[in-house]
């Protein structure tokens, strides 16, 4: 007699790819898990490492802002590079593989440098690794827009980001535990090298995604002859996209104001241990998992604009509440607010950007969107550092939350959906 378990059977049917779209969704989601391991390891703890090495507010501001400025300048050449290749999946995979190799150098540098020289060396190498995204991001935008149908994309993206957040949660907890049990700075070398090596599985799995060839070589050649004006002309003429970019730019700026302040606040003012910082990352990312799944289900009911607005309002509470915490232990429950809110911003804005773009020029529109985002990543920390020098870190965190709430007024003025 065969015993059947209907729940398990239904879950198995959902996990089993039935067509190419299912297959693409599976590989996109699985690759995100290994990317999340690096994000919960080397990405999350690099600024903490710099703070423990004695990096100043200005150095952490440079660490957070300069890569954004340089990447923003390179995104247009990066999109030109991407448009020259029919296989957009391969472009993204090769760039990610090279980026991981460069990140490995960060785990090796403490063998050759110490103290202040190590701080500068890490900032330089990390910036080089980040700049590689200028060539992979346009290709990624094209792949995600074609790998699954527009109707299914919000759900796939929310699950993909949820899996990534889950991996970040696991990685943050384990890395924080390791960091407090191995002598400094060897502990950070172990975390950095281990998480980067595991993340090399991301491009390997991502390479299995299949989309139709992106045949734009002839158009790109014409565009190069016409100069930058020819590149930007179709974007400037597409008024819905330009309106969307201009209305969301202040909001995206506000999201980055407090970024360089958190690590300094945790380490210097709250004296938080690495275990506590890692546990805080775990709680934040498990909340992020729930948030992504929740916002993905609400996307069609509320519309993408409402997702961004509600998520942005919740995320604005995070710096405001952080500024009020009396001791280190409170950074853990406050992280829940961040985790539950950010998913609405990601799901809402990303799908709005794709909706306002033209399908045949996806790398180009994606490059401009990301270029503006990188400019905000540069300007935000500059504003945050200036505020901290003026009113202190707690005052700067409070100001960042207020600015973020105010900037949502422009987003509310967008159409309900694209």
């Amino acid at each position: 007699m065969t015993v059947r378990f209907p729940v398990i059977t239904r879950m198995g049917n959902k996990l089993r790819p039935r067509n190419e779209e299912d297959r693409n969704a599976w590989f996109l989601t699985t690759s995100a898990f290994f990317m999340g391991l690096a994000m919960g390891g080397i990405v999350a703890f690099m600024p903490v490492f710099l703070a423990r090495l004695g990096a100043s507010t200005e150095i952490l501001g440079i660490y957070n802002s300069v890569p954004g400025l340089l990447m923003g300048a390179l995104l247009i050449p990066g999109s030109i590079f991407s448009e020259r290749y029919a296989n957009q999946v391969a472009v993204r995979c090769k760039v990610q593989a090279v980026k991981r190799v460069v990140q490995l150098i960060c785990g090796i540098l403490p063998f050759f440098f110490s103290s202040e020289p190590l701080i500068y060396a890490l900032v330089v190498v990390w910036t080089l690794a980040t700049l590689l995204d200028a060539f992979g991001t346009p290709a990624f935008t094209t792949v995600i827009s074609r790998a699954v149908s527009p109707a299914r994309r919000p759900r796939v993206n929310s699950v993909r980001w949820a899996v990534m957040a889950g991996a970040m949660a696991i990685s943050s907890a384990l890395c924080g535990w390791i960091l407090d049990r191995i002598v400094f700075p060897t502990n950070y070398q172990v975390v950095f090298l281990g998480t980067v090596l595991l993340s090399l599985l991301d491009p390997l799995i991502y390479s299995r995604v299949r989309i139709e060839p992106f045949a734009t070589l002839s158009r790109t050649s014409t565009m190069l002859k016409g100069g930058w004006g020819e590149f930007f002309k179709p974007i400037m003429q597409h008024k819905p996209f330009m309106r969307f970019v201009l209305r969301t730019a202040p909001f995206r700026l506000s999201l980055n104001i407090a970024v360089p302040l958190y690590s300094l606040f945790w380490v210097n003012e709250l004296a938080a241990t690495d275990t506590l910082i890692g546990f805080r990352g775990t709680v934040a990312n498990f909340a992020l998992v729930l948030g992504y799944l929740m916002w993905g289900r609400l996307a069609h009911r509320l519309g993408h604009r409402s997702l961004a607005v509600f998520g942005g309002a919740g995320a604005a509470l995070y710096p405001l509440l952080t500024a009020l915490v009396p001791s280190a232990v409170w950074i853990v429950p406050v992280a829940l607010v961040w985790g539950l809110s950010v998913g609405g911003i990601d799901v809402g804005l990303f799908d709005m950007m794709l909706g306002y773009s033209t399908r045949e020029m996806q790398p180009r529109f994606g490059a401009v969107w990301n270029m503006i985002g990188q400019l905000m990543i540069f300007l935000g920390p500059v504003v945050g550092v200036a505020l901290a020098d003026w009113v202190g870190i707690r005052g700067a965190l409070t100001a960042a939350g207020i600015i973020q709430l105010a900037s949502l007024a422009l987003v509310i003025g967008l159409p309900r959906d694209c």
Side-chain angles (χ1 to χ4, degrees):
M1 180 178 177
T2 303
V3 179
R4 297 183 183 275
F5 297 92
V7 174
I8 296 177
T9 302
R10 285 197 298 269
M11 290 178 62
N13 290 336
K14 288 183 178 181
L15 291 174
R16 188 182 301 114
R18 293 167 295 181
N19 51 47
E20 188 162 81
E21 187 177 37
D22 285 349
R23 189 172 173 275
N24 285 342
W26 172 258
F27 288 126
L28 286 169
T29 302
T30 307
S31 70
F33 175 83
F34 293 99
M35 183 187 293
L37 294 179
M39 294 179 71
I42 187 170
V43 177
F45 283 97
M46 179 60 74
V48 179
F49 185 39
L50 292 173
R52 295 201 185 283
L53 287 171
S56 64
T57 306
E58 289 73 20
I59 291 296
L60 280 172
I62 290 171
Y63 166 82
N64 284 284
S65 62
V66 170
L69 177 65
L70 296 178
M71 183 179 167
L74 286 174
L75 272 167
I76 300 304
S79 70
I80 294 173
F81 170 82
S82 178
E83 283 190 3
R84 294 175 66 90
Y85 294 90
N87 191 341
Q88 297 285 289
V89 174
V91 171
R92 188 267 179 189
C93 289
K94 290 175 182 177
V95 169
Q96 282 295 311
V98 174
K99 178 182 176 180
R100 300 306 177 199
V101 172
V102 176
Q103 286 179 336
L104 281 173
I105 298 174
C106 293
I108 300 172
L109 285 176
F111 287 117
F112 303 96
F113 299 96
S114 61
S115 194
E116 189 172 350
L118 177 58
I119 294 174
Y120 295 123
L122 286 169
V123 171
V124 170
V125 173
W126 190 259
T127 299
L128 293 175
T130 304
L131 293 182
L132 289 167
D133 284 331
F135 298 90
T137 298
F140 170 79
T141 303
T142 302
V143 173
I144 202 71
S145 69
R146 293 163 181 255
V148 292
S149 62
R152 190 176 175 185
R153 191 188 303 130
R155 183 69 61 87
V156 171
N157 271 336
S158 66
V159 172
R160 177 181 171 275
W161 282 323
V163 168
M164 186 187 299
M168 291 167 62
I170 295 169
S171 182
S172 292
L174 182 59
C175 290
W177 183 83
I178 291 172
L179 288 171
D180 278 338
R181 283 158 178 77
I182 302 178
V183 66
F184 181 89
T186 305
N187 53 350
Y188 281 89
Q189 289 177 272
V190 170
V191 164
F192 292 172
L193 292 173
T195 55
V196 172
L197 287 172
L198 284 172
S199 70
L200 283 169
L201 290 170
D202 159 37
L204 183 64
I205 295 170
Y206 195 96
S207 65
R208 304 291 299 278
V209 174
R210 296 288 179 265
I211 62 172
E212 71 272 18
F214 188 77
T216 59
L217 181 58
S218 60
R219 191 181 74 239
T220 302
S221 300
T222 302
M223 181 273 294
L224 288 172
K225 293 177 183 178
W228 295 112
E230 187 68 24
F231 180 90
F232 284 106
K233 185 177 179 180
I235 296 170
M236 299 295 289
Q237 290 178 340
H238 197 59
K239 288 191 169 46
F241 180 79
M242 291 303 300
R243 189 182 304 115
F244 170 66
V245 167
L246 292 174
R247 280 187 169 271
T248 55
F251 174 60
R252 298 171 80 191
L253 170 67
S254 71
L255 290 172
N256 293 285
I257 290 175
V259 169
L261 308 179
Y262 292 121
S263 296
L264 286 172
F265 186 62
W266 299 336
V267 173
N268 296 341
E269 296 207 13
L270 299 180
T273 64
D274 284 322
T275 298
L276 184 62
I277 293 173
F279 183 60
R280 175 248 160 228
T282 298
V283 171
N285 285 298
F286 273 130
L288 193 58
V289 172
L290 297 176
Y292 277 131
L293 295 176
M294 175 184 71
W295 294 115
R297 288 181 175 274
L298 292 173
H300 291 298
R301 184 184 309 171
L302 297 179
H304 298 119
R305 183 201 62 187
S306 295
L307 256 62
V309 171
F310 291 146
L317 293 176
Y318 178 60
L320 291 171
L321 293 173
T322 299
L324 296 174
V325 300
S327 60
V329 70
W330 286 97
I331 68 175
V332 176
V334 169
L336 287 169
V337 176
W338 177 87
L340 292 172
S341 303
V342 168
I345 301 172
D346 289 341
V347 175
L349 289 185
F350 186 77
D351 268 270
M352 287 174 77
M353 182 274 292
L354 292 178
Y356 284 118
S357 304
T358 61
R359 181 177 172 83
E360 64 273 10
M361 292 188 178
Q362 204 77 69
R364 196 177 303 192
F365 278 81
V368 172
W369 165 255
N370 284 295
M371 182 181 69
I372 300 297
Q374 292 302 319
L375 179 61
M376 299 304 106
I377 288 173
F378 166 71
L379 293 175
V382 173
V383 174
V385 170
L387 285 172
D389 289 339
W390 182 31
V391 296
I393 292 183
R394 287 184 187 268
L397 290 170
T398 302
I402 294 171
I403 294 170
Q404 190 170 323
L405 284 171
S407 68
L408 283 172
L410 290 172
V411 181
I412 293 172
L414 288 167
R416 181 182 182 278
D417 232 325
C418 49

